[in-house]
C-alpha cells in the first residue's frame, strides 16, 4: 500500500529524514517509536504533503501512485488521513460544516456526488456516539475551546467519517486519560480490516496494549534503526532507547 | 406644469448645441460628457422632475463647485476628472416604461440571467420584490401590487419625486444634507436614479425589499439616491446587491442612502457589494465613494447596517447612525475584503444624542495580496445622552505578508454615564490551519474560503437568507489566488 524508499526530507534547510525506508502492506498496523526530534512528525507530514517539507531524495508510493507529485488535498482524496498531534482551531467553522465540506471535497476528487445532508447527519451522529462524543460538540467550532482529549477524540470522529485507506496517527494517545484512551483505541481498531492500514506514531507502549501492532519500528536520527514485532515496544518501554543502543538526539 | 416645460425647452436648446455629443448607439441615451448646469437640467428634464427638485439640484451643484475633494482617508488613487464622466445613461426602452417583465428588453433580461439574477425565478421562488437599477433607470419593478395593499411605497426615486412630493420634500436631504460632503453634494446635484421606500405606520413590510444595482456603460458615473422612511411601529428589511462587468477604466460611484426611522420602527439594511475591483495589477475597478446614514428619530427606533464589501478598487464608506430618539439602537456589522491592490477605508459613525441609546459595531477586515484595509469608526456621546452603551469589536485577518490592516477608532464621550467598549484583534491565516484543511481534502481555495467565512461568521449570520449563501460564495471568490 505505502512504500517509502530512501526518503530524505529537509525543513528550512535542516536535514530531518536521512534515508528512511518503510513498507506498509494492506491490512497491517505499524507503530513508529523514537526519541524526541528523531523525525517522527516529519515523516507523517512528508507522507501527507505538508508545504515546506522539502523532499530532497527518495520516493513515496501509495497504491502504485507517485505520491510526491500530488498536492496535500489530493493525497487526502486518495485516502490518506493524518491524525494531528496538535489539532488546530478554526474559529467560526462548526465541526459539522467542516466535515461536510471535507467529505464533499474528497467525494468530488473521486468523481462521486455530494453526500445528501440527511445521510451526512445520520452518519456523523452515529460516529459521534461510537466515540462517546456529546453531539452538541459537533455544532461547536472546530477544536475551539476543546480540551486536549476532546481534540484527539474529534480527530477520531473525523477519521471515521472520512473513512481513509491509510491512517497516520501522530501521537493520538498523548493528552488522553485512560478512559479516553480506550475509546480512541476502540475507534482505531474499528478501522482495522484486510484492506486498510494504520501507521501509529507514539512515545508510549500503553496505546499499543489496545491497538496491537503487526510491526514496531524505532526511528532515530532520521532513519529507521530497528524493526520488530510488538515485543520491541515492550522492550523499549523497559530498557529505554539507550538500553537498545540508540542515542537520544533531542533536537 | 410650467417648470417642466421650461426644462424641456432648456434641454431642446442643449440638444441643438450638443447634437453630435449624444451617444445613441444601440439602445442607450446619454447626456454629453462632463458636468454643467445644462447637464443637470437635462437629467432633471429626462426625469420629468418638479421645479423644486431641479432647484435643489442646482443649489447643490453651486455648493459643490466651491468644495474640495477630501483626502483624509488612507487611500491612494488618481482623483477622477469630473468633466470626463457621463452623468446620465439610460436604456432606451425605459422611455416606454415596461408594465411587466414581458415588456422588458430581452437583452437586459439575458444580462441579468448571466449574473444569476433571474427575475422570474426571484418572483416565484423567493417572494422578493425587485427594483432593478440598470444604468440609472429602473426598468422593472415587481410585486408592487402586494406592497400597495399594505400601503408600502417601493418605487424609483424619480417616480417618488413626481408621485409623492410631500414625502420627498420632507425627507430628501434631511439625513444627508445637500452640502454634507463633497461626494454627497455631487450626488445631490446629479443623482440619476435610486429607490424610494415608505413603510406606513404599524406596517411590517411583508417581504424583503431588494434592489440590484449594476453599472454597465463604460465611463458612466453612477449616482443613485436611496431614501427609506419607516414610520411609527413599522419594520422593513432592505437588500442591496451589486455586480459589475469587467472594465478597464475607473468608474466613479457616489451613492447616497438616507434612512429615517420613527417611533418604535426598525430598518435592517443589508448590502453585498461586488463591483469590479480592478485586475491583479490594480488596473481599473470601481471607485466607491458612498454616504450612508440613518437617523433614528423616534423612541426606541432601531437601525441595523450589515455590509459585505468584496468589490471596488476603492471603497470609502461609513454607514452611520444618528441615535436621536431615546432608547434608539444602532448596529453595524461589516465584512470588508481587499485583495490584490484594492483599498478600503470603511467603518461607521454612531452618534449618541438620546438617552439610553445603544450601539454595536462588529467589523471584520480581511486583507490579501497588496491590499490595504482600514477600519475607521467614530463613537460619539453627546452631553445629554445619559446611560448610553457602545460595544465595538474590530478584527483583522491578514493573508500573506504584503497587505495591511489598520484600525482607526475615534471615541468622544461627553457624558460620564456612558459605557464604551472597544476590542480589536489582528490575526493571520496560519500555515497550520491551512494544512489542516488541505489534509482533510479541501483544496487551497476552499480552505481559505472556509477559514474566512468562519472569521466573518458573526457578521454573515446577520444577513437575510437570500443573501447569506451568495455572500459566502463571494468571500471565497474574492480571495481566489491569494494563497499558494
Amino acid at each position: 500500500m505505502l512504500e517509502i524508499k530512501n526518503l530524505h526530507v529537509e525543513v528550512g534547510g535542516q536535514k530531518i529524514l536521512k534515508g528512511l525506508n518503510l513498507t506498509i502492506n494492506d491490512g497491517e498496523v505499524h507503530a513508529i517509536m523514537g526519541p524526541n526530534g528523531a523525525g517522527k512528525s516529519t515523516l507523517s507530514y512528508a507522507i501527507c504533503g505538508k508545504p515546506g517539507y522539502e523532499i530532497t531524495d527518495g520516493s513515496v508510493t501509495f497504491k502504485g501512485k507517485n505520491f510526491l507529485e500530488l498536492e496535500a488535498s489530493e493525497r487526502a482524496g486518495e485516502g490518506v488521513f493524518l491524525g494531528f498531534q496538535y489539532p488546530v482551531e478554526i474559529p467560526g467553522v462548526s465541526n459539522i460544516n467542516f466535515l461536510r465540506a471535507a467529505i464533499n471535497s474528497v467525494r468530488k476528487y473521486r468523481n462521486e456526488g455530494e453526500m445528501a445532508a440527511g445521510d451526512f447527519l445520520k452518519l456523523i451522529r452515529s460516529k459521534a456516539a461510537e466515540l462517546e462524543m456529546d453531539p452538541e460538540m459537533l455544532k461547536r467550532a472546530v477544536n475551539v475551546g476543546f480540551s486536549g482529549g476532546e481534540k484527539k477524540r474529534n480527530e477520531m470522529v473525523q477519521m471515521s467519517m472520512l473513512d481513509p485507506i491509510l491512517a497516520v496517527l501522530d501521537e493520538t494517545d498523548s493528552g488522553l486519560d485512560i478512559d479516553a484512551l480506550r475509546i480512541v483505541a476502540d475507534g482505531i481498531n474499528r478501522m482495522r480490516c484486510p484492506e486498510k492500514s494504520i501507521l501509529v506514531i507514539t512515545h508510549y507502549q500503553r496505546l499499543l496494549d489496545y491497538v496491537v501492532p503487526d510491526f514496531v519500528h524505532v526511528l532515530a536520527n532520521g532513519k529507521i534503526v530497528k524493526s520488530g514485532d510488538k515485543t520491541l515496544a515492550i522492550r523499549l518501554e523497559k530498557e529505554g532507547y539507550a538500553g537498545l543502543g540508540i542515542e537520544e538526539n533531542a533536537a | 406644469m410650467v417648470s417642466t416645460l421650461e426644462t424641456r425647452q432648456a434641454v431642446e436648446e442643449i440638444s441643438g448645441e450638443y447634437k453630435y455629443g449624444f451617444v445613441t448607439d444601440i439602445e442607450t441615451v446619454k447626456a454629453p460628457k462632463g458636468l454643467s448646469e445644462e447637464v443637470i437640467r437635462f437629467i432633471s428634464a429626462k426625469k420629468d422632475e418638479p421645479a423644486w427638485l431641479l432647484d435643489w439640484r442646482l443649489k447643490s451643484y453651486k455648493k459643490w463647485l466651491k468644495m474640495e475633494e477630501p483626502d483624509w482617508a488612507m487611500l491612494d488613487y488618481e482623483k477622477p476628472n469630473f468633466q470626463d464622466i457621463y452623468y446620465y445613461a439610460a436604456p432606451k426602452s425605459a422611455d416606454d416604461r415596461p408594465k411587466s417583465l414581458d415588456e422588458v428588453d430581452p437583452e437586459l433580461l439575458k444580462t441579468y440571467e448571466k449574473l444569476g439574477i433571474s427575475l422570474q425565478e426571484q418572483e416565484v421562488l423567493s417572494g422578493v420584490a425587485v427594483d432593478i437599477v440598470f444604468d440609472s433607470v429602473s426598468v422593472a419593478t415587481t410585486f408592487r401590487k402586494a406592497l400597495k395593499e399594505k400601503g408600502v411605497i417601493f418605487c424609483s426615486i424619480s417616480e417618488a419625486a413626481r408621485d409623492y412630493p410631500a414625502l420627498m420634500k420632507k425627507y430628501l436631504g434631511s439625513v444627508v444634507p445637500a452640502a454634507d460632503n463633497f461626494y454627497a453634494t455631487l450626488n445631490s446635484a446629479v443623482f440619476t436614479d435610486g429607490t424610494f421606500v415608505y413603510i406606513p405606520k404599524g406596517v411590517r413590510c411583508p417581504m424583503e425589499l431588494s434592489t440590484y444595482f449594476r453599472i454597465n456603460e463604460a465611463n458612466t458615473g453612477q449616482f443613485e439616491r436611496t431614501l427609506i422612511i419607516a414610520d411609527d411601529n413599522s419594520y422593513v428589511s432592505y437588500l442591496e446587491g451589486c455586480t459589475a462587468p469587467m472594465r478597464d477604466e475607473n468608474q466613479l460611484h457616489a451613492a447616497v442612502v438616507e434612512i429615517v426611522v420613527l417611533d418604535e420602527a426598525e430598518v435592517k439594511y443589508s448590502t453585498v457589494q461586488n463591483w469590479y475591483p480592478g485586475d491583479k495589477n490594480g488596473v481599473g475597478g470601481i471607485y466607491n465613494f458612498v454616504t450612508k446614514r440613518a437617523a433614528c428619530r423616534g423612541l426606541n427606533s432601531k437601525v441595523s447596517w450589515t455590509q459585505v464589501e468584496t468589490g471596488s478598487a476603492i471603497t470609502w464608506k461609513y454607514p452611520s447612525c444618528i441615535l436621536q430618539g431615546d432608547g434608539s439602537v444602532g448596529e453595524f456589522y461589516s465584512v470588508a475584503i481587499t485583495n490584490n491592490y484594492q483599498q478600503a477605508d470603511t467603518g461607521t459613525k454612531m452618534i449618541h444624542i438620546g438617552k439610553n441609546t445603544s450601539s454595536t459595531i462588529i467589523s471584520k477586515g480581511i486583507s490579501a495580496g497588496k491590499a490595504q484595509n482600514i477600519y475607521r469608526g467614530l463613537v460619539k456621546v453627546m452631553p445629554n445622552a445619559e446611560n448610553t452603551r457602545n460595544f465595538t469589536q474590530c478584527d483583522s485577518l491578514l493573508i500573506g505578508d504584503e497587505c495591511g490592516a489598520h484600525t482607526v477608532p475615534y471615541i468622544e464621550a461627553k457624558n460620564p454615564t456612558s459605557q464604551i467598549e472597544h476590542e480589536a484583534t489582528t490575526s493571520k491565516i496560519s500555515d497550520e490551519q491551512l494544512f489542516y484543511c488541505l489534509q482533510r481534502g479541501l483544496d487551497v481555495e476552499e480552505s481559505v474560503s472556509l477559514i474566512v467565512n468562519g472569521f466573518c461568521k458573526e457578521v454573515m449570520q446577520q444577513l437575510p437568507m437570500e443573501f447569506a449563501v451568495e455572500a459566502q460564495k463571494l468571500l471565497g471568490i474574492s480571495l481566489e489566488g491569494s494563497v499558494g
Side-chain angles (χ1 to χ4, degrees):
Chain A
M1 175 180 292
L2 180 74
E3 200 167 18
I4 300 172
K5 280 186 184 162
N6 190 34
L7 187 66
H8 287 71
V9 179
E10 287 184 13
V11 183
Q14 199 186 349
K15 289 177 180 145
I16 309 283
L17 295 185
K18 303 161 187 170
L20 184 140
N21 294 292
L22 179 66
T23 301
I24 299 176
N25 295 308
D26 292 2
E28 293 176 353
V29 175
H30 289 238
I32 290 204
M33 304 179 78
N36 286 326
K40 299 188 300 295
S41 290
T42 298
L43 173 63
S44 71
Y45 291 153
I47 294 169
C48 296
K50 185 172 183 183
Y53 285 71
E54 198 192 339
I55 316 292
T56 51
D57 200 2
S59 64
V60 178
T61 313
F62 181 73
K63 293 259 164 191
K65 280 186 186 165
N66 178 1
F67 233 31
L68 300 181
E69 286 179 351
L70 300 183
E71 300 290 334
S73 59
E74 294 171 326
R75 296 186 201 191
E78 292 290 336
V80 175
F81 176 89
L82 173 60
F84 282 74
Q85 186 181 356
Y86 304 109
V88 297
E89 302 183 355
I90 310 178
V93 180
S94 73
N95 264 321
I96 284 189
N97 280 342
F98 179 69
L99 262 175
R100 182 120 197 270
I103 279 182
N104 285 330
S105 291
V106 168
R107 289 173 74 101
K108 195 169 136 198
Y109 179 80
R110 295 171 188 165
N111 291 317
E112 296 165 0
E114 290 199 352
M115 187 185 275
D119 295 344
F120 173 81
L121 285 174
K122 248 183 241 165
L123 189 64
I124 197 168
R125 282 194 197 115
S126 77
K127 296 295 183 188
E130 273 177 9
L131 287 149
E132 298 180 30
M133 184 197 247
D134 182 350
E136 280 304 305
M137 288 188 77
L138 297 172
K139 295 178 193 162
R140 283 170 54 184
V142 179
N143 294 323
V144 177
F146 285 28
S147 71
E150 284 169 337
K151 284 181 182 173
K152 294 300 172 71
R153 206 180 293 202
N154 199 24
E155 292 290 285
M156 291 303 102
V157 171
Q158 292 184 17
M159 182 178 82
S160 61
M161 285 299 287
L162 288 161
D163 195 23
I165 301 166
L166 171 68
V168 179
L169 305 175
D170 190 0
E171 298 201 21
T172 296
D173 51 337
S174 66
L176 295 181
D177 62 34
I178 199 71
D179 292 329
L181 183 70
R182 182 187 48 75
I183 292 162
V184 164
D186 287 349
I188 299 170
N189 284 328
R190 264 193 296 273
M191 188 187 149
R192 290 183 88 156
C193 69
E195 298 81 35
K196 296 183 172 184
S197 308
I198 300 167
L199 178 61
V200 180
I201 294 170
T202 182
H203 265 301
Y204 305 107
Q205 145 69 18
R206 61 171 198 168
L207 174 67
L208 304 181
D209 287 339
Y210 297 94
V211 180
V212 181
D214 299 305
F215 299 95
V216 174
H217 310 277
V218 178
L219 177 59
N221 199 21
K223 283 182 187 175
I224 285 177
V225 292
K226 214 171 188 70
S227 296
D229 62 9
K230 60 181 179 183
T231 57
L232 178 59
I234 297 165
R235 268 186 68 199
L236 262 180
E237 186 94 341
K238 277 188 188 149
E239 302 170 27
Y241 294 108
L244 290 173
I246 297 159
E247 272 181 55
E248 291 255 8
N249 62 334
Chain B
M1 289 163 74
V2 184
S3 59
T4 313
L5 267 175
E6 263 174 23
T7 47
R8 275 181 186 159
Q9 279 162 1
V11 167
E12 272 163 25
E13 283 165 28
I14 311 160
S15 313
E17 211 177 317
Y18 283 89
K19 203 168 180 181
Y20 304 101
F22 283 92
V23 183
T24 50
D25 57 326
I26 318 173
E27 293 288 314
T28 305
V29 181
K30 276 179 184 163
K33 246 186 194 181
L35 187 51
S36 63
E37 208 172 298
E38 285 70 31
V39 166
I40 292 167
R41 286 180 189 279
F42 171 83
I43 294 169
S44 187
K46 265 278 171 194
K47 300 279 171 195
D48 226 347
E49 282 174 2
W52 69 267
L53 194 50
L54 175 62
D55 278 353
W56 196 72
R57 286 175 180 278
L58 291 173
K59 270 181 201 157
S60 305
Y61 174 62
K62 276 172 193 142
K63 281 173 194 153
W64 180 77
L65 286 174
K66 289 178 201 147
M67 294 170 100
E68 276 184 34
E69 197 170 354
D71 58 2
W72 47 261
M74 210 185 275
L75 300 170
D76 181 21
Y77 63 98
E78 204 178 307
K79 302 270 186 284
N81 177 355
F82 295 99
Q83 295 307 331
D84 197 32
I85 292 171
Y86 288 103
Y87 289 86
Y88 182 83
K92 204 178 181 181
S93 55
D95 285 350
D96 274 318
R97 204 159 266 279
K99 308 291 179 292
S100 75
L101 281 178
D102 305 336
E103 296 175 29
V104 173
D105 183 345
E107 287 300 314
L108 289 191
L109 294 179
K110 243 184 230 170
T111 315
Y112 293 137
E113 267 172 37
K114 272 184 208 154
L115 291 168
I117 307 161
S118 161
L119 270 181
Q120 293 91 331
E121 263 183 36
Q122 283 191 2
E123 273 185 309
V124 177
L125 294 176
S126 62
V128 170
V130 180
D131 180 3
I132 287 183
V133 173
F134 184 95
D135 269 12
S136 321
V137 168
S138 303
V139 290
T141 305
T142 52
F143 281 96
R144 206 177 279 181
K145 205 180 154 198
L147 294 173
K148 213 171 185 177
E149 278 167 17
K150 291 267 186 183
V152 173
I153 303 169
F154 179 46
C155 64
S156 79
I157 202 140
S158 313
E159 282 176 68
R162 291 191 299 266
D163 301 344
Y164 309 101
L167 285 171
M168 278 286 280
K169 266 188 182 168
K170 186 169 177 189
Y171 292 110
L172 185 74
S174 75
V175 186
V176 180
D180 188 79
N181 68 68
F182 185 82
Y183 282 103
T185 309
L186 177 64
N187 175 289
S188 301
V190 300
F191 71 88
T192 41
D193 217 328
T195 306
F196 177 84
V197 176
Y198 174 76
I199 315 292
K201 281 181 186 166
V203 170
R204 197 181 164 84
C205 186
M207 61 193 74
E208 313 252 359
L209 298 182
S210 165
T211 301
Y212 285 81
F213 291 107
R214 185 162 177 278
I215 301 173
N216 187 50
E217 285 295 309
N219 274 327
T220 304
Q222 288 272 302
F223 301 94
E224 290 95 350
R225 185 107 197 170
T226 301
L227 177 57
I228 298 173
I229 302 144
D231 214 326
D232 298 350
N233 290 296
S234 69
Y235 170 84
V236 65
S237 167
Y238 185 87
L239 319 182
E240 173 203 356
C242 342
T243 55
M246 302 274 281
R247 287 290 165 194
D248 278 333
E249 299 107 306
N250 287 305
Q251 291 181 299
L252 176 64
H253 180 88
V256 171
V257 175
E258 293 180 277
I259 300 177
V260 179
V261 195
L262 301 177
D263 280 353
E264 309 283 346
E266 180 180 348
V267 175
K268 195 172 158 61
Y269 191 104
S270 311
T271 306
V272 173
Q273 187 267 111
N274 181 29
W275 282 323
Y276 181 52
D279 67 13
K280 280 192 173 158
N281 302 312
V283 175
I286 305 280
Y287 286 7
N288 187 27
F289 301 149
V290 181
T291 305
K292 291 186 168 178
R293 199 174 301 156
C296 290
R297 297 217 172 124
L299 194 68
N300 302 323
S301 305
K302 182 177 174 185
V303 69
S304 179
W305 297 102
T306 305
Q307 61 173 23
V308 177
E309 303 280 323
T310 63
S312 296
I314 297 174
T315 298
W316 185 91
K317 177 181 174 186
Y318 314 92
S320 304
C321 303
I322 299 169
L323 303 169
Q324 196 179 338
D326 288 350
S328 56
V329 178
E331 293 174 341
F332 175 73
Y333 300 97
S334 170
V335 170
I337 293 190
T338 48
N339 194 3
N340 299 316
Y341 284 89
Q342 277 178 280
Q343 303 174 68
D345 194 312
T346 184
T348 185
K349 286 186 261 184
M350 294 290 176
I351 317 289
H352 293 260
I353 299 170
K355 293 178 181 67
N356 303 311
T357 53
S358 65
S359 60
T360 304
I361 299 170
I362 311 281
S363 164
K364 305 276 182 177
I366 297 130
S367 268
K370 294 180 173 7
Q372 295 296 326
N373 205 318
I374 297 111
Y375 168 82
R376 189 187 299 276
L378 169 70
V379 177
K380 189 171 188 170
V381 179
M382 302 303 273
N384 292 329
E386 299 282 327
N387 299 314
T388 59
R389 290 187 64 108
N390 162 264
F391 174 74
T392 301
Q393 186 185 329
C394 297
D395 298 324
S396 304
L397 185 69
L398 301 172
I399 302 172
D401 49 18
E402 289 183 276
C403 53
H406 314 269
T407 303
V408 192
Y410 303 83
I411 297 170
E412 292 173 31
K414 290 178 182 159
N415 185 301
T417 61
S418 63
Q419 271 187 48
I420 298 171
E421 288 175 74
H422 183 95
E423 289 179 11
T425 67
T426 302
S427 54
K428 281 182 85 163
I429 290 188
S430 71
D431 293 345
E432 303 301 319
Q433 272 180 327
L434 206 55
F435 178 58
Y436 193 72
C437 296
L438 294 176
Q439 210 297 312
R440 297 300 183 249
L442 299 156
D443 65 27
V444 173
E445 315 263 291
E446 288 170 323
S447 306
V448 171
S449 173
L450 195 79
I451 294 167
V452 168
N453 269 298
F455 174 74
C456 302
K457 190 185 170 196
E458 291 153 283
V459 174
M460 302 302 273
Q461 66 195 10
Q462 298 293 330
L463 287 174
M465 275 305 286
E466 283 88 338
F467 259 20
V469 178
E470 185 190 337
Q472 268 179 20
K473 284 183 190 156
L474 247 178
L475 295 193
I477 292 166
S478 310
L479 289 167
E480 267 176 15
S482 60
V483 172

